[in-house]
């Protein structure tokens, strides 16, 4: 390699800046996480030579840190859904995902996902990923048992419940306890290596290499302090995760996420993959969006409570998915937020909770609680009087919380402070990335393709596009699914060009 000043993912090198190729391959993959491993498996199985470059010492990325929940269904149901008697049509899954991600959902990607999700489940099983044939009928972020199927989004909440048949689609990889993403990645890494992919660990991708026509022909990687030029005959697949760990990028593109206190991801989520795509004319979309959550259940009993703003008013059905609740909290014009619960619910909260919200007031009556919270007179009183009157009849005419979660809130009452920035746990990650076709081809602003460049997982703007419409399992589902599509598309290009 010729001497170059500095390497920067935001600046691609020209072919004439490269002296010689150090590594040659058909498909070069940046990042050995969920998307990268699946791209590698498909490309290697289709006969391409595949090299995967991973910045850290092991494969995994955020996928290995995840709960290992995968959002799947359609085609009559996955094998597990069918076995447990949950029929799920492709149209039902498509309509649900469109509803979740409108108006910015990518219809072509959602359609491909809805049509392919049940088969994707079979494919994961074929890679050795274990799923138990069991259903956990509890409101949990992820199973703490080794169970598989859960309702992991807004399927049973309003307004979705009025438009789409509720079906549980969160498929958790089998592991007793939380964090089954590690098991998922163990199998995907092994499958990629067994298929013949060459893995380079502690090997960071620094920038892309383009020819005079703007085609991506390779990349520069660094291992043990040595830069190497990698020629990728068919293409480079960017699977480098999102940008949640790059505070400057989050501040620039999605500043609202900084109201959370826990960016979740791995240290490699620096946005380098997105910057590489931009450096060769790719366009990034949906960059303002993110998953932003207050994971308030378990205990599910908190769902019987109400969430109010600094005007003592409700603004959401509390049986909505925790990510929607978090997202709607930061969308409010309000300085403070409280979860109001009765002593029963508070008892279970004390036993187990993930949000660590402080008790800021208690009251033997609503009036007392209202005073202690410093809310405008009669606001909370009116909210609770009306809420209780309808809850008694199993109704919530304002926000349509479903009857199973409606019961009058009786004193004594407890208020938990869930104001962002005051200690309660709010986590977030990014949902913006490179604009791609369903096959992973990276697009320019004018809709043309950047030849030789693909992106998948959180480096691309995929199926999950909205914090309000996020469901547990859709990011790992999308990352693994889109990684496969990109691996297949790059290999087809290799075949065409041979
Ligand atoms: C704690 C936690 C729990 C979660 N639980 C779930 C869940 O249960 N279900 C769900 O759907 N989503 C979940 N998510 C989100 C989900 O895990 C991620 O959004 C998704 O796995 C991202 O997959 P990916 O393939 O795009 O990226 P990753 O799996 O993060 O892979 C990207 C890889 O690229 C590497 N990389 C980055 N830059 C470079 C570079 N320049 N050169 C070489 N390598 C590079 C990284 O080191 C990493 O290994 C969770 C996230 C966290 C943090």
């Amino acid at each position: 390699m010729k001497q170059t000043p500095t390497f920067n993912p935001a600046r691609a090198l020209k072919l004439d800046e490269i002296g010689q190729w150090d590594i040659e391959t058909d498909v070069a993959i940046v990042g050995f996480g969920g998307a990268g491993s699946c791209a590698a498996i498909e490309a290697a199985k289709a006969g391409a030579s595949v090299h995967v470059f991973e910045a850290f010492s092991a494969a995994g990325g955020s996928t290995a840190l995840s709960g290992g929940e995968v959002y799947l269904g359609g085609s009559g149901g996955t094998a597990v859904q069918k076995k447990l008697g949950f029929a799920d049509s492709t149209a039902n899954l498509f309509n649900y995902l469109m509803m979740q991600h409108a108006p910015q959902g990518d219809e072509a990607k959602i359609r491909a996902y809805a049509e392919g999700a049940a088969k994707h489940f079979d494919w994961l099983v074929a890679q050795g990923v274990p799923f138990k044939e069991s259903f956990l009928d509890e409101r949990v972020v992820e199973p703490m048992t080794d169970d598989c199927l859960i309702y992991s989004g807004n399927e049973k909440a309003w307004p979705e419940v009025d438009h789409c048949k509720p079906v549980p689609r969160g498929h958790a990889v089998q592991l007793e306890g939380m964090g089954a993403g590690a098991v998922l990645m163990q199998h995907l890494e092994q499958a990629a290596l067994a298929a013949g992919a060459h893995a380079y660990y502690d090997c960071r991708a620094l920038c892309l290499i383009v020819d005079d026509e703007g085609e991506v022909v390779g990349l520069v990687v660094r291992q043990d302090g040595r830069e190497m030029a990698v020629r990728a005959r068919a293409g480079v697949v960017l699977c480098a995760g999102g940008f949640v760990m790059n505070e400057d990028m989050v501040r620039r593109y999605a500043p609202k996420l900084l109201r959370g206190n826990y960016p979740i991801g791995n240290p490699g989520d620096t946005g380098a993959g997105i910057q590489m795509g931009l450096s060769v004319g790719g366009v990034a979309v949906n960059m303002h969006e993110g998953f932003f959550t207050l994971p308030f259940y378990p205990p599910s009993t908190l769902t019987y409570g109400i969430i109010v703003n600094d005007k003592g008013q409700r603004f959401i059905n509390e049986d909505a998915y925790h990510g929607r609740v978090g997202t709607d909290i930061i969308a409010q014009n309000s300085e403070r937020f409280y979860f109001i619960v009765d002593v029963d619910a508070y008892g279970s909260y004390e036993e187990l909770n993930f949000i660590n919200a402080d008790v800021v007031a208690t009251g033997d009556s609503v009036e007392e609680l209202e005073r202690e919270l410093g809310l405008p007179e009669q606001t909370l009183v009116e909210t609770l009087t009306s809420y209780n009157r309808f809850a008694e009849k199993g109704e919530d005419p304002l926000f349509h919380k479903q009857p199973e979660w409606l019961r009058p809130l009786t004193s004594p009452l407890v208020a938990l402070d869930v104001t962002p920035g005051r200690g309660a746990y709010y986590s977030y990650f990014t949902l913006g990335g490179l604009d791609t076709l369903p096959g992973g081809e990276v697009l320019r602003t004018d809709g043309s393709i950047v030849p030789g460049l693909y992106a998948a997982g959180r480096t691309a703007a995929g199926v999950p596009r909205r914090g309000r419409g996020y469901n547990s399992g859709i990011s790992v589902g999308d990352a693994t699914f889109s990684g496969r599509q990109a691996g297949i598309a790059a290999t087809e290009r290799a075949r065409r060009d041979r």
Side-chain angles (χ1 to χ4, degrees), residues 195-237:
H198 302 277
Y200 288 69
Y201 301 99
D202 293 312
C203 187
R204 183 174 293 275
L206 301 178
C207 65
L208 295 174
I209 302 168
V210 279
D211 69 11
D212 290 342
E213 278 73 52
E215 175 173 345
V216 174
V217 292
L219 75 162
V220 180
V221 299
R222 180 187 289 138
Q223 192 180 42
D224 294 332
R226 176 177 168 236
E227 281 93 32
M228 295 180 282
V230 181
R231 181 179 179 209
R233 287 181 290 263
V236 174
V237 188

mmCIF file of all heavy atoms in Angstrom, residues 195-237:
data_model
loop_
_atom_site.group_PDB
_atom_site.id
_atom_site.type_symbol
_atom_site.label_atom_id
_atom_site.label_comp_id
_atom_site.label_asym_id
_atom_site.label_seq_id
_atom_site.Cartn_x
_atom_site.Cartn_y
_atom_site.Cartn_z
ATOM 1 N N ALA A 195 -18.968 -22.934 6.766
ATOM 2 C CA ALA A 195 -19.298 -22.765 5.340
ATOM 3 C C ALA A 195 -18.082 -22.323 4.535
ATOM 4 O O ALA A 195 -18.129 -22.284 3.306
ATOM 5 C CB ALA A 195 -20.429 -21.746 5.196
ATOM 6 N N GLY A 196 -17.010 -21.948 5.223
ATOM 7 C CA GLY A 196 -15.771 -21.619 4.516
ATOM 8 C C GLY A 196 -15.370 -20.152 4.562
ATOM 9 O O GLY A 196 -14.413 -19.754 3.882
ATOM 10 N N ALA A 197 -16.097 -19.342 5.331
ATOM 11 C CA ALA A 197 -15.716 -17.924 5.428
ATOM 12 C C ALA A 197 -14.407 -17.793 6.204
ATOM 13 O O ALA A 197 -14.170 -18.525 7.164
ATOM 14 C CB ALA A 197 -16.821 -17.134 6.142
ATOM 15 N N HIS A 198 -13.548 -16.866 5.751
ATOM 16 C CA HIS A 198 -12.288 -16.592 6.461
ATOM 17 C C HIS A 198 -12.525 -15.412 7.390
ATOM 18 O O HIS A 198 -12.968 -14.361 6.934
ATOM 19 C CB HIS A 198 -11.173 -16.218 5.488
ATOM 20 C CG HIS A 198 -10.919 -17.282 4.463
ATOM 21 N ND1 HIS A 198 -10.117 -18.375 4.700
ATOM 22 C CD2 HIS A 198 -11.404 -17.427 3.220
ATOM 23 C CE1 HIS A 198 -10.108 -19.153 3.634
ATOM 24 N NE2 HIS A 198 -10.881 -18.603 2.711
ATOM 25 N N ALA A 199 -12.234 -15.596 8.676
ATOM 26 C CA ALA A 199 -12.477 -14.507 9.630
ATOM 27 C C ALA A 199 -11.175 -13.869 10.071
ATOM 28 O O ALA A 199 -10.198 -14.565 10.360
ATOM 29 C CB ALA A 199 -13.223 -15.054 10.839
ATOM 30 N N TYR A 200 -11.156 -12.548 10.092
ATOM 31 C CA TYR A 200 -10.031 -11.782 10.618
ATOM 32 C C TYR A 200 -10.535 -11.040 11.845
ATOM 33 O O TYR A 200 -11.399 -10.172 11.728
ATOM 34 C CB TYR A 200 -9.538 -10.753 9.590
ATOM 35 C CG TYR A 200 -8.809 -11.350 8.424
ATOM 36 C CD1 TYR A 200 -9.475 -12.127 7.481
ATOM 37 C CD2 TYR A 200 -7.439 -11.118 8.250
ATOM 38 C CE1 TYR A 200 -8.807 -12.678 6.407
ATOM 39 C CE2 TYR A 200 -6.762 -11.665 7.168
ATOM 40 C CZ TYR A 200 -7.449 -12.447 6.251
ATOM 41 O OH TYR A 200 -6.788 -12.987 5.185
ATOM 42 N N TYR A 201 -9.991 -11.382 13.027
ATOM 43 C CA TYR A 201 -10.407 -10.696 14.248
ATOM 44 C C TYR A 201 -9.399 -9.599 14.580
ATOM 45 O O TYR A 201 -8.290 -9.576 14.035
ATOM 46 C CB TYR A 201 -10.518 -11.696 15.407
ATOM 47 C CG TYR A 201 -11.528 -12.809 15.112
ATOM 48 C CD1 TYR A 201 -11.095 -14.060 14.660
ATOM 49 C CD2 TYR A 201 -12.885 -12.585 15.256
ATOM 50 C CE1 TYR A 201 -12.018 -15.070 14.373
ATOM 51 C CE2 TYR A 201 -13.815 -13.586 14.975
ATOM 52 C CZ TYR A 201 -13.373 -14.827 14.531
ATOM 53 O OH TYR A 201 -14.281 -15.805 14.240
ATOM 54 N N ASP A 202 -9.761 -8.709 15.483
ATOM 55 C CA ASP A 202 -8.924 -7.543 15.802
ATOM 56 C C ASP A 202 -8.480 -6.864 14.516
ATOM 57 O O ASP A 202 -7.330 -6.437 14.373
ATOM 58 C CB ASP A 202 -7.687 -7.959 16.628
ATOM 59 C CG ASP A 202 -8.086 -8.449 18.003
ATOM 60 O OD1 ASP A 202 -8.884 -7.764 18.654
ATOM 61 O OD2 ASP A 202 -7.608 -9.539 18.413
ATOM 62 N N CYS A 203 -9.362 -6.801 13.577
ATOM 63 C CA CYS A 203 -9.026 -6.288 12.248
ATOM 64 C C CYS A 203 -10.110 -5.288 11.825
ATOM 65 O O CYS A 203 -11.215 -5.678 11.449
ATOM 66 C CB CYS A 203 -8.951 -7.472 11.276
ATOM 67 S SG CYS A 203 -8.349 -6.990 9.651
ATOM 68 N N ARG A 204 -9.784 -4.024 11.940
ATOM 69 C CA ARG A 204 -10.777 -2.958 11.723
ATOM 70 C C ARG A 204 -10.784 -2.522 10.264
ATOM 71 O O ARG A 204 -9.716 -2.340 9.657
ATOM 72 C CB ARG A 204 -10.425 -1.766 12.616
ATOM 73 C CG ARG A 204 -11.409 -0.602 12.563
ATOM 74 C CD ARG A 204 -11.039 0.458 13.587
ATOM 75 N NE ARG A 204 -11.203 -0.029 14.949
ATOM 76 C CZ ARG A 204 -12.351 -0.017 15.630
ATOM 77 N NH1 ARG A 204 -13.438 0.479 15.064
ATOM 78 N NH2 ARG A 204 -12.406 -0.484 16.851
ATOM 79 N N ALA A 205 -11.956 -2.358 9.709
ATOM 80 C CA ALA A 205 -12.082 -1.781 8.365
ATOM 81 C C ALA A 205 -11.912 -0.278 8.508
ATOM 82 O O ALA A 205 -12.570 0.359 9.348
ATOM 83 C CB ALA A 205 -13.445 -2.118 7.781
ATOM 84 N N LEU A 206 -11.020 0.307 7.698
ATOM 85 C CA LEU A 206 -10.713 1.733 7.847
ATOM 86 C C LEU A 206 -11.440 2.602 6.829
ATOM 87 O O LEU A 206 -11.935 3.680 7.165
ATOM 88 C CB LEU A 206 -9.202 1.954 7.711
ATOM 89 C CG LEU A 206 -8.325 1.189 8.720
ATOM 90 C CD1 LEU A 206 -6.855 1.447 8.441
ATOM 91 C CD2 LEU A 206 -8.673 1.588 10.151
ATOM 92 N N CYS A 207 -11.485 2.154 5.584
ATOM 93 C CA CYS A 207 -12.175 2.944 4.558
ATOM 94 C C CYS A 207 -12.357 2.088 3.312
ATOM 95 O O CYS A 207 -11.727 1.041 3.163
ATOM 96 C CB CYS A 207 -11.401 4.219 4.223
ATOM 97 S SG CYS A 207 -9.803 3.898 3.474
ATOM 98 N N LEU A 208 -13.218 2.568 2.413
ATOM 99 C CA LEU A 208 -13.466 1.849 1.159
ATOM 100 C C LEU A 208 -12.475 2.304 0.096
ATOM 101 O O LEU A 208 -11.829 3.358 0.220
ATOM 102 C CB LEU A 208 -14.895 2.131 0.673
ATOM 103 C CG LEU A 208 -16.022 1.606 1.566
ATOM 104 C CD1 LEU A 208 -17.373 2.072 1.047
ATOM 105 C CD2 LEU A 208 -15.987 0.074 1.658
ATOM 106 N N ILE A 209 -12.389 1.503 -0.962
ATOM 107 C CA ILE A 209 -11.562 1.853 -2.119
ATOM 108 C C ILE A 209 -12.482 1.878 -3.343
ATOM 109 O O ILE A 209 -13.247 0.926 -3.565
ATOM 110 C CB ILE A 209 -10.435 0.817 -2.342
ATOM 111 C CG1 ILE A 209 -9.562 0.711 -1.079
ATOM 112 C CG2 ILE A 209 -9.601 1.180 -3.568
ATOM 113 C CD1 ILE A 209 -8.600 -0.486 -1.104
ATOM 114 N N VAL A 210 -12.422 2.967 -4.123
ATOM 115 C CA VAL A 210 -13.270 3.070 -5.325
ATOM 116 C C VAL A 210 -12.418 3.266 -6.570
ATOM 117 O O VAL A 210 -11.318 3.821 -6.502
ATOM 118 C CB VAL A 210 -14.257 4.268 -5.261
ATOM 119 C CG1 VAL A 210 -15.467 3.947 -4.443
ATOM 120 C CG2 VAL A 210 -13.581 5.535 -4.789
ATOM 121 N N ASP A 211 -12.970 2.808 -7.710
ATOM 122 C CA ASP A 211 -12.263 3.069 -8.976
ATOM 123 C C ASP A 211 -12.772 4.373 -9.582
ATOM 124 O O ASP A 211 -13.618 5.058 -8.997
ATOM 125 C CB ASP A 211 -12.383 1.868 -9.929
ATOM 126 C CG ASP A 211 -13.796 1.670 -10.462
ATOM 127 O OD1 ASP A 211 -14.636 2.573 -10.268
ATOM 128 O OD2 ASP A 211 -14.061 0.610 -11.065
ATOM 129 N N ASP A 212 -12.292 4.699 -10.768
ATOM 130 C CA ASP A 212 -12.642 5.994 -11.370
ATOM 131 C C ASP A 212 -14.124 6.104 -11.725
ATOM 132 O O ASP A 212 -14.667 7.198 -11.840
ATOM 133 C CB ASP A 212 -11.798 6.231 -12.634
ATOM 134 C CG ASP A 212 -10.348 6.491 -12.261
ATOM 135 O OD1 ASP A 212 -10.109 6.825 -11.078
ATOM 136 O OD2 ASP A 212 -9.475 6.346 -13.132
ATOM 137 N N GLU A 213 -14.770 4.960 -11.902
ATOM 138 C CA GLU A 213 -16.214 4.983 -12.228
ATOM 139 C C GLU A 213 -17.087 5.047 -10.971
ATOM 140 O O GLU A 213 -18.313 5.007 -11.053
ATOM 141 C CB GLU A 213 -16.608 3.738 -13.030
ATOM 142 C CG GLU A 213 -16.317 3.827 -14.532
ATOM 143 C CD GLU A 213 -14.832 3.717 -14.822
ATOM 144 O OE1 GLU A 213 -14.208 2.752 -14.338
ATOM 145 O OE2 GLU A 213 -14.300 4.621 -15.501
ATOM 146 N N GLY A 214 -16.457 5.069 -9.820
ATOM 147 C CA GLY A 214 -17.231 5.130 -8.576
ATOM 148 C C GLY A 214 -17.652 3.764 -8.076
ATOM 149 O O GLY A 214 -18.463 3.656 -7.145
ATOM 150 N N GLU A 215 -17.121 2.692 -8.679
ATOM 151 C CA GLU A 215 -17.453 1.344 -8.197
ATOM 152 C C GLU A 215 -16.590 1.010 -6.980
ATOM 153 O O GLU A 215 -15.382 1.270 -6.972
ATOM 154 C CB GLU A 215 -17.200 0.334 -9.320
ATOM 155 C CG GLU A 215 -17.413 -1.087 -8.851
ATOM 156 C CD GLU A 215 -17.345 -2.112 -9.978
ATOM 157 O OE1 GLU A 215 -17.410 -1.719 -11.153
ATOM 158 O OE2 GLU A 215 -17.207 -3.300 -9.651
ATOM 159 N N VAL A 216 -17.201 0.416 -5.982
ATOM 160 C CA VAL A 216 -16.441 -0.001 -4.798
ATOM 161 C C VAL A 216 -15.702 -1.294 -5.162
ATOM 162 O O VAL A 216 -16.329 -2.299 -5.528
ATOM 163 C CB VAL A 216 -17.370 -0.216 -3.588
ATOM 164 C CG1 VAL A 216 -16.603 -0.782 -2.398
ATOM 165 C CG2 VAL A 216 -18.053 1.103 -3.203
ATOM 166 N N VAL A 217 -14.388 -1.261 -5.062
ATOM 167 C CA VAL A 217 -13.601 -2.419 -5.480
ATOM 168 C C VAL A 217 -12.857 -3.074 -4.310
ATOM 169 O O VAL A 217 -12.209 -4.108 -4.482
ATOM 170 C CB VAL A 217 -12.584 -2.049 -6.607
ATOM 171 C CG1 VAL A 217 -13.325 -1.710 -7.892
ATOM 172 C CG2 VAL A 217 -11.692 -0.883 -6.162
ATOM 173 N N GLY A 218 -12.951 -2.468 -3.155
ATOM 174 C CA GLY A 218 -12.275 -3.075 -2.009
ATOM 175 C C GLY A 218 -12.304 -2.161 -0.799
ATOM 176 O O GLY A 218 -13.092 -1.217 -0.731
ATOM 177 N N LEU A 219 -11.460 -2.473 0.164
ATOM 178 C CA LEU A 219 -11.390 -1.670 1.389
ATOM 179 C C LEU A 219 -10.016 -1.803 2.013
ATOM 180 O O LEU A 219 -9.238 -2.699 1.638
ATOM 181 C CB LEU A 219 -12.478 -2.091 2.369
ATOM 182 C CG LEU A 219 -12.319 -3.398 3.147
ATOM 183 C CD1 LEU A 219 -13.253 -3.400 4.343
ATOM 184 C CD2 LEU A 219 -12.632 -4.601 2.256
ATOM 185 N N VAL A 220 -9.736 -0.909 2.949
ATOM 186 C CA VAL A 220 -8.486 -0.995 3.696
ATOM 187 C C VAL A 220 -8.827 -1.466 5.104
ATOM 188 O O VAL A 220 -9.771 -0.963 5.721
ATOM 189 C CB VAL A 220 -7.777 0.377 3.770
ATOM 190 C CG1 VAL A 220 -6.468 0.252 4.558
ATOM 191 C CG2 VAL A 220 -7.512 0.924 2.375
ATOM 192 N N VAL A 221 -8.077 -2.455 5.585
ATOM 193 C CA VAL A 221 -8.264 -2.926 6.954
ATOM 194 C C VAL A 221 -6.929 -2.815 7.695
ATOM 195 O O VAL A 221 -5.869 -2.754 7.061
ATOM 196 C CB VAL A 221 -8.761 -4.405 6.996
ATOM 197 C CG1 VAL A 221 -10.099 -4.554 6.298
ATOM 198 C CG2 VAL A 221 -7.728 -5.366 6.403
ATOM 199 N N ARG A 222 -7.023 -2.759 9.020
ATOM 200 C CA ARG A 222 -5.780 -2.706 9.827
ATOM 201 C C ARG A 222 -5.799 -3.826 10.852
ATOM 202 O O ARG A 222 -6.766 -4.002 11.591
ATOM 203 C CB ARG A 222 -5.652 -1.370 10.536
ATOM 204 C CG ARG A 222 -4.370 -1.280 11.382
ATOM 205 C CD ARG A 222 -4.321 -0.018 12.221
ATOM 206 N NE ARG A 222 -4.100 1.167 11.427
ATOM 207 C CZ ARG A 222 -4.734 2.323 11.617
ATOM 208 N NH1 ARG A 222 -5.657 2.423 12.554
ATOM 209 N NH2 ARG A 222 -4.454 3.369 10.869
ATOM 210 N N GLN A 223 -4.698 -4.611 10.865
ATOM 211 C CA GLN A 223 -4.549 -5.655 11.883
ATOM 212 C C GLN A 223 -3.119 -5.613 12.397
ATOM 213 O O GLN A 223 -2.180 -5.494 11.585
ATOM 214 C CB GLN A 223 -4.858 -7.032 11.273
ATOM 215 C CG GLN A 223 -5.005 -8.138 12.305
ATOM 216 C CD GLN A 223 -5.311 -9.480 11.663
ATOM 217 O OE1 GLN A 223 -4.714 -9.830 10.641
ATOM 218 N NE2 GLN A 223 -6.225 -10.235 12.251
ATOM 219 N N ASP A 224 -2.966 -5.698 13.702
ATOM 220 C CA ASP A 224 -1.634 -5.635 14.312
ATOM 221 C C ASP A 224 -0.832 -4.430 13.804
ATOM 222 O O ASP A 224 0.370 -4.549 13.512
ATOM 223 C CB ASP A 224 -0.843 -6.923 14.017
ATOM 224 C CG ASP A 224 -1.463 -8.127 14.688
ATOM 225 O OD1 ASP A 224 -2.109 -7.930 15.738
ATOM 226 O OD2 ASP A 224 -1.325 -9.236 14.151
ATOM 227 N N GLY A 225 -1.493 -3.312 13.648
ATOM 228 C CA GLY A 225 -0.794 -2.093 13.234
ATOM 229 C C GLY A 225 -0.442 -2.050 11.764
ATOM 230 O O GLY A 225 0.218 -1.103 11.311
ATOM 231 N N ARG A 226 -0.859 -3.045 11.006
ATOM 232 C CA ARG A 226 -0.503 -3.086 9.584
ATOM 233 C C ARG A 226 -1.748 -2.881 8.720
ATOM 234 O O ARG A 226 -2.775 -3.533 8.932
ATOM 235 C CB ARG A 226 0.125 -4.447 9.291
ATOM 236 C CG ARG A 226 0.449 -4.662 7.828
ATOM 237 C CD ARG A 226 1.147 -5.999 7.573
ATOM 238 N NE ARG A 226 1.142 -6.228 6.128
ATOM 239 C CZ ARG A 226 0.642 -7.286 5.538
ATOM 240 N NH1 ARG A 226 0.132 -8.262 6.254
ATOM 241 N NH2 ARG A 226 0.672 -7.398 4.232
ATOM 242 N N GLU A 227 -1.638 -1.937 7.775
ATOM 243 C CA GLU A 227 -2.762 -1.712 6.873
ATOM 244 C C GLU A 227 -2.670 -2.662 5.688
ATOM 245 O O GLU A 227 -1.586 -2.903 5.161
ATOM 246 C CB GLU A 227 -2.763 -0.274 6.346
ATOM 247 C CG GLU A 227 -3.314 0.718 7.328
ATOM 248 C CD GLU A 227 -2.249 1.359 8.187
ATOM 249 O OE1 GLU A 227 -1.122 1.529 7.683
ATOM 250 O OE2 GLU A 227 -2.527 1.660 9.362
ATOM 251 N N MET A 228 -3.808 -3.195 5.293
ATOM 252 C CA MET A 228 -3.846 -4.119 4.156
ATOM 253 C C MET A 228 -4.955 -3.683 3.208
ATOM 254 O O MET A 228 -6.040 -3.294 3.641
ATOM 255 C CB MET A 228 -4.139 -5.542 4.637
ATOM 256 C CG MET A 228 -3.042 -6.113 5.523
ATOM 257 S SD MET A 228 -3.418 -7.793 6.067
ATOM 258 C CE MET A 228 -4.592 -7.499 7.379
ATOM 259 N N ALA A 229 -4.650 -3.753 1.918
ATOM 260 C CA ALA A 229 -5.660 -3.431 0.899
ATOM 261 C C ALA A 229 -6.346 -4.729 0.497
ATOM 262 O O ALA A 229 -5.692 -5.711 0.126
ATOM 263 C CB ALA A 229 -4.991 -2.784 -0.303
ATOM 264 N N VAL A 230 -7.664 -4.733 0.602
ATOM 265 C CA VAL A 230 -8.440 -5.943 0.309
ATOM 266 C C VAL A 230 -9.211 -5.728 -0.981
ATOM 267 O O VAL A 230 -10.003 -4.780 -1.090
ATOM 268 C CB VAL A 230 -9.453 -6.235 1.448
ATOM 269 C CG1 VAL A 230 -10.234 -7.506 1.152
ATOM 270 C CG2 VAL A 230 -8.756 -6.314 2.801
ATOM 271 N N ARG A 231 -8.971 -6.567 -1.951
ATOM 272 C CA ARG A 231 -9.744 -6.472 -3.178
ATOM 273 C C ARG A 231 -11.002 -7.331 -3.035
ATOM 274 O O ARG A 231 -10.928 -8.516 -2.699
ATOM 275 C CB ARG A 231 -8.914 -6.973 -4.362
ATOM 276 C CG ARG A 231 -9.679 -6.864 -5.650
ATOM 277 C CD ARG A 231 -8.862 -7.323 -6.836
ATOM 278 N NE ARG A 231 -9.675 -7.205 -8.039
ATOM 279 C CZ ARG A 231 -9.547 -7.961 -9.107
ATOM 280 N NH1 ARG A 231 -8.614 -8.899 -9.127
ATOM 281 N NH2 ARG A 231 -10.315 -7.787 -10.151
ATOM 282 N N ALA A 232 -12.174 -6.719 -3.271
ATOM 283 C CA ALA A 232 -13.436 -7.461 -3.189
ATOM 284 C C ALA A 232 -14.026 -7.493 -4.592
ATOM 285 O O ALA A 232 -14.599 -6.506 -5.049
ATOM 286 C CB ALA A 232 -14.381 -6.783 -2.212
ATOM 287 N N ARG A 233 -13.857 -8.630 -5.264
ATOM 288 C CA ARG A 233 -14.258 -8.718 -6.683
ATOM 289 C C ARG A 233 -15.755 -8.500 -6.869
ATOM 290 O O ARG A 233 -16.191 -7.874 -7.813
ATOM 291 C CB ARG A 233 -13.843 -10.073 -7.260
ATOM 292 C CG ARG A 233 -12.334 -10.194 -7.486
ATOM 293 C CD ARG A 233 -11.992 -11.542 -8.090
ATOM 294 N NE ARG A 233 -12.180 -12.613 -7.112
ATOM 295 C CZ ARG A 233 -11.203 -13.138 -6.361
ATOM 296 N NH1 ARG A 233 -9.967 -12.711 -6.510
ATOM 297 N NH2 ARG A 233 -11.461 -14.086 -5.482
ATOM 298 N N ALA A 234 -16.565 -9.053 -5.959
ATOM 299 C CA ALA A 234 -18.019 -8.930 -6.129
ATOM 300 C C ALA A 234 -18.590 -7.766 -5.340
ATOM 301 O O ALA A 234 -19.543 -7.122 -5.774
ATOM 302 C CB ALA A 234 -18.705 -10.213 -5.692
ATOM 303 N N GLY A 235 -18.024 -7.507 -4.187
ATOM 304 C CA GLY A 235 -18.558 -6.388 -3.426
ATOM 305 C C GLY A 235 -18.159 -6.400 -1.963
ATOM 306 O O GLY A 235 -17.669 -7.402 -1.433
ATOM 307 N N VAL A 236 -18.366 -5.255 -1.354
ATOM 308 C CA VAL A 236 -18.154 -5.100 0.085
ATOM 309 C C VAL A 236 -19.535 -5.023 0.736
ATOM 310 O O VAL A 236 -20.412 -4.292 0.261
ATOM 311 C CB VAL A 236 -17.366 -3.808 0.387
ATOM 312 C CG1 VAL A 236 -17.262 -3.574 1.900
ATOM 313 C CG2 VAL A 236 -15.975 -3.869 -0.248
ATOM 314 N N VAL A 237 -19.723 -5.810 1.806
ATOM 315 C CA VAL A 237 -21.000 -5.782 2.528
ATOM 316 C C VAL A 237 -20.741 -5.139 3.890
ATOM 317 O O VAL A 237 -19.999 -5.678 4.714
ATOM 318 C CB VAL A 237 -21.584 -7.205 2.701
ATOM 319 C CG1 VAL A 237 -22.996 -7.111 3.275
ATOM 320 C CG2 VAL A 237 -21.605 -7.966 1.376
#
